[in-house]
Amino acid sequence: MTMKNILKVTGIVLLGFFSSCDDIEFLEAPSVSSLDESVIFSSPDLAASAVDGIKIPFGETNSYRGRFLPWYGMNTDCEWYNSSESTSDDRADLVAYDAKPNNTQMNTANNVWAQMYVGIERANLCIRGIRTYGNPTSNNELGYLLGEALTLRAVYYADLLKTWGDVQARFEPIDNATIYIPKSSRDIIYKQLIDDLEEAATLVPWPNGNTATSSVERVNKAFVKGLRARLALAACGYQQYPDGVRRSTDPELSVNAMYTIALSECRDVIASGSARLEPSFETFWRKYNQEVTTAGGESLWEIPFGDGRGRMLFTFAVSHVSIDQYQANGANRGGTAGPLPHTFYDYDLTDTRRDVTCVPYRYGAAVNGIAKQQLGAINRWYFGKYRYEWMTRRVTSTNDDGVNKIYMRYAEVLLMAAEAANELEGPGAAVPYLKEIRRRAFPTAQHAVKVDAYVDAVAGSRDAMFNAIAEEHKFEFTGEMERKQALIRWNRLGSSLTQAKEKMFRLQQRTGEYADVASTLYYRYAADDETLIVYGLNHGETADPGAGYTSLAWSNLTDAKINGIVRPGVNPDARQFWPIWQVFLDSSNGLLFNDYGY
């Protein structure tokens, strides 16, 4: 059975799982499976089914599928919910740093908070069972399954930590004594995950090292090491604690210790040759939408969704007003979020990532089943990394598209290596990693100036190099919901959001760096009568191109729209985390509570 179909199966269930790990009727009773744990976890086939079951919570409606992936990660200095200005939309509250514990999108007993703990409980059962009965080693399948279970547990915890800060530490299956427990220090959890992933890396092979790791829907050593690097950087980074925004005071999580781990892990991945950048940025994203899941390329691991699960395109794709030649997913699909209006204009004109990432058009209402590209408005852009029109499969499900979530790609490993090398060894050590990222971004004819001269110019200063890496991260990852955690750990969230607002006001007024951005666009259709040819998007294209073009006002960026990124009076650095939802507070036997003034 392929991993694309894994969420269609039940797998082996060892215990009943509950709507919340804090509101359960725990029964120390025989498992609903007729098989004993000693049988399940000594058999590679049975154990594999149990480990597959760890992934099922990813696909539940109120879990990653319909709540976490669509709403965590906005708003940043390059991306936002396209209706952020709404003051009567609980989804806007989630992204505009103004969520309440009773948020109607989230305050349900089967919300992603509970589903993450369901996944963790399933992982705990598998980890205990395989350790006890499986004799796992680096050379057998049960060893691989133990490494996979450890990694999947780390994924759930990584997302809990970045979303809620201090959470409950559950690293053993629940019993009567641990039904209700308080939150633990995130420092304790980070240290456990970093240790777990160190072990997992000894158990799972590199991409294409065995049958399982031939697909990016199964974990591999490159992903495990990349995730360990990401968590090490997060653990020592700035973040909001109950006493303010700061770094951890735990000496084991010092900057030097954690950056050393991150650099070592990234260099291991790079040296292995088991992953690589796709030579073309556009080709990479076309392959993603075509659902190419072969390991050994740029994608390191993806959350696998069956055809009837997952809402990556449903949420983030270039908008389609109606069912048309590219999709039967429904009307008004995609377009929920997009780049901030200024993001397109901040890219270098020759940067090949720009037109892949930032799309100014949608597909209008279909006529006889055929839709055309249609210019929208300067205040509503779309993420071009997600496109129904690039798929090879026509989506027919009404609520889901089935396209995976890329959880990590090799470009992040290169940028983490650059950041850690700059911190530990100086800017010269970061040069090759930053150059590799930019070399893919720019045409060969531009490499002397945009790659070599650009990077060499910042190689004389740690601060200049760090700023260049932070900017590159934005241009590389806009639309992937990776930016928010990076800004938090760099202690740049609030300042970057303020700067983004300022940029949008300058764009609105056509001042500063946006003084030469046109207020009128001109467009016509290519020979296919579907594809737009637009004049006026590039800096300096302010003249009328002449006959054959239709004009469109490009100037509806209002104050209310701009202020929607972060509401006036709200301090995002005091709202780095979502609150724990009220349903879980009420069912925690008084042990859970919200910090941060919620």
Side-chain angles (χ1 to χ4, degrees):
M1 177 174 293
T2 65
M3 285 302 299
K4 285 297 292 181
N5 294 317
I6 191 59
L7 296 181
K8 297 179 180 178
V9 301
T10 303
I12 292 176
V13 182
L14 300 178
L15 286 171
F17 290 99
F18 312 94
S19 62
S20 166
C21 285
D22 305 301
D23 184 20
I24 59 177
E25 181 182 354
F26 188 87
L27 301 176
E28 290 187 334
S31 128
V32 293
S33 169
S34 62
L35 297 177
D36 184 83
E37 282 190 49
S38 64
V39 176
I40 294 169
F41 293 113
S42 60
S43 163
D45 288 343
L46 295 177
S49 293
V51 172
D52 284 345
I54 299 170
K55 303 158 195 165
I56 291 175
F58 290 130
E60 299 298 337
T61 300
N62 289 338
S63 184
Y64 280 72
R65 170 192 175 205
R67 293 296 182 268
F68 183 68
L69 295 178
W71 299 114
Y72 183 85
M74 301 175 283
N75 293 354
T76 71
D77 59 349
C78 58
E79 55 213 351
W80 67 349
Y81 173 41
N82 271 328
S83 299
S84 290
E85 75 279 10
S86 174
T87 58
S88 58
D89 181 351
D90 276 8
R91 292 169 296 188
D93 290 356
L94 290 170
V95 301
Y97 302 91
D98 201 19
K100 315 297 191 302
N102 62 352
N103 184 280
T104 57
Q105 290 289 308
M106 298 292 180
N107 191 34
T108 60
N110 62 351
N111 178 256
V112 62
W113 166 282
Q115 293 298 326
M116 287 174 173
Y117 276 109
V118 169
I120 287 167
E121 178 68 3
R122 292 182 177 201
N124 287 341
L125 289 162
C126 291
I127 291 164
R128 181 184 69 182
I130 294 171
R131 288 195 193 282
T132 303
Y133 303 109
N135 188 31
T137 73
S138 61
N139 297 314
N140 64 25
E141 187 174 351
L142 286 166
Y144 173 80
L145 292 171
L146 175 58
E148 186 172 31
L150 288 167
T151 304
L152 292 170
R153 184 172 69 179
V155 167
Y156 283 118
Y157 263 121
D159 291 337
L160 277 164
L161 292 169
K162 76 179 186 182
T163 310
W164 284 282
D166 295 330
V167 297
Q168 297 158 306
R170 294 189 177 276
F171 289 100
E172 297 290 339
I174 296 170
D175 59 28
N176 282 334
T178 59
I179 298 172
Y180 303 106
I181 60 172
K183 293 188 289 187
S184 299
S185 164
R186 75 198 69 171
D187 294 352
I188 293 171
I189 299 174
Y190 272 124
K191 288 190 288 187
Q192 178 71 51
L193 300 182
I194 289 167
D195 287 347
D196 286 348
L197 292 172
E198 183 177 31
E199 178 184 5
T202 69
L203 296 170
V204 304
W206 293 105
N208 293 306
N210 66 3
T211 301
T213 61
S214 65
S215 168
V216 295
E217 295 179 326
R218 300 290 298 275
V219 304
N220 57 65
K221 195 188 299 285
F223 171 62
V224 172
K225 285 178 169 288
L227 180 59
R228 189 167 186 251
R230 181 193 282 179
L231 289 178
L233 294 178
C236 72
Y238 289 92
Q239 54 197 289
Q240 188 180 8
Y241 286 84
D243 60 351
V245 175
R246 58 172 175 81
R247 294 187 187 273
S248 172
T249 56
D250 188 322
E252 293 181 55
L253 299 179
S254 69
V255 169
N256 186 73
M258 293 297 99
Y259 272 69
T260 298
I261 288 174
L263 182 57
S264 175
E265 297 291 24
C266 290
R267 281 179 169 164
D268 281 354
V269 175
I270 293 165
S272 75
S274 65
R276 61 180 180 84
L277 291 182
E278 182 71 36
S280 161
F281 193 73
E282 179 175 323
T283 299
F284 172 74
W285 286 102
R286 283 184 178 273
K287 286 183 175 180
Y288 164 70
N289 287 278
Q290 292 164 2
E291 300 175 289
V292 175
T293 58
T294 306
E298 185 163 348
S299 179
L300 298 185
W301 183 70
E302 299 177 8
I303 295 178
F305 290 119
D307 291 354
R309 294 287 178 178
R311 297 180 180 176
M312 294 305 295
L313 271 62
F314 176 96
T315 304
F316 297 118
V318 173
S319 178
H320 285 245
V321 173
S322 65
I323 291 174
D324 56 30
Q325 68 270 37
Y326 295 114
Q327 62 87 25
N329 207 189
N332 297 312
R333 293 298 185 248
T336 296
L340 291 183
H342 66 78
T343 303
F344 174 88
Y345 301 101
D346 291 347
Y347 278 92
D348 187 277
L349 178 64
T350 60
D351 192 330
T352 62
R353 296 171 295 192
R354 185 192 71 168
D355 293 351
V356 174
T357 302
C358 305
V359 170
Y361 59 78
R362 63 181 182 177
Y363 280 79
V367 177
N368 296 323
I370 304 298
K372 296 182 180 182
Q373 294 175 359
Q374 181 183 78
L375 280 174
I378 194 173
N379 67 9
R380 193 178 186 91
W381 289 73
Y382 304 105
F383 293 131
K385 292 175 175 176
Y386 312 96
R387 306 194 197 203
Y388 289 103
E389 52 272 26
W390 283 355
M391 294 186 72
T392 54
R393 171 175 60 86
R394 190 165 189 256
V395 177
T396 57
S397 171
T398 56
N399 288 317
D400 296 84
D401 53 72
V403 177
N404 290 348
K405 160 65 179 176
I406 297 176
Y407 198 84
M408 178 175 284
R409 56 188 179 92
Y410 185 65
E412 183 179 354
V413 171
L414 291 172
L415 285 176
M416 289 190 295
E419 181 183 347
N422 182 54
E423 176 70 26
L424 296 173
E425 300 172 0
V431 165
Y433 309 122
L434 184 55
K435 282 188 175 182
E436 186 169 351
I437 290 287
R438 288 183 68 86
R439 193 171 293 116
R440 194 264 297 272
F442 291 91
T444 302
Q446 297 291 327
H447 285 180
V449 174
K450 303 299 183 182
V451 179
D452 296 326
Y454 173 87
V455 176
D456 292 345
V458 299
S461 160
R462 271 192 171 88
D463 288 345
M465 177 60 76
F466 175 77
N467 289 334
I469 292 167
E471 276 294 283
E472 206 65 36
H473 183 280
K474 177 175 65 178
F475 295 133
E476 185 70 25
F477 290 108
T478 292
E480 298 177 57
M481 306 306 133
E482 298 295 340
R483 186 69 171 169
K484 180 177 176 179
Q485 187 177 37
L487 291 175
I488 287 171
R489 69 178 181 81
W490 294 332
N491 201 22
R492 291 188 169 192
L493 180 66
S495 61
S496 293
L497 288 168
T498 297
Q499 290 167 10
K501 272 191 176 183
E502 292 169 349
K503 283 186 172 187
M504 285 194 281
F505 278 115
R506 292 197 295 273
L507 176 60
Q508 175 199 61
Q509 299 155 16
R510 301 306 196 274
T511 60
E513 67 268 50
Y514 310 112
D516 63 348
V517 170
S519 296
T520 302
L521 297 185
Y522 299 87
Y523 68 92
R524 60 184 176 86
Y525 284 95
D528 63 7
D529 199 33
E530 173 190 323
T531 306
L532 281 169
I533 297 173
V534 182
Y535 180 84
L537 283 172
N538 293 324
H539 284 275
E541 292 182 346
T542 56
D544 187 333
Y549 285 85
T550 301
S551 64
L552 174 76
W554 197 243
S555 56
N556 63 338
L557 189 54
T558 64
D559 289 4
K561 190 76 175 178
I562 293 170
N563 283 321
I565 187 171
V566 178
R567 293 171 183 164
V570 173
N571 175 10
D573 283 324
R575 287 288 184 270
Q576 291 184 354
F577 302 113
W578 284 345
I580 301 172
W581 314 119
Q582 192 64 45
V583 65
F584 303 118
L585 300 179
D586 293 344
S587 61
S588 70
N589 207 26
L591 293 178
L592 290 182
F593 57 90
N594 273 315
D595 293 292
Y596 322 120
Y598 283 114

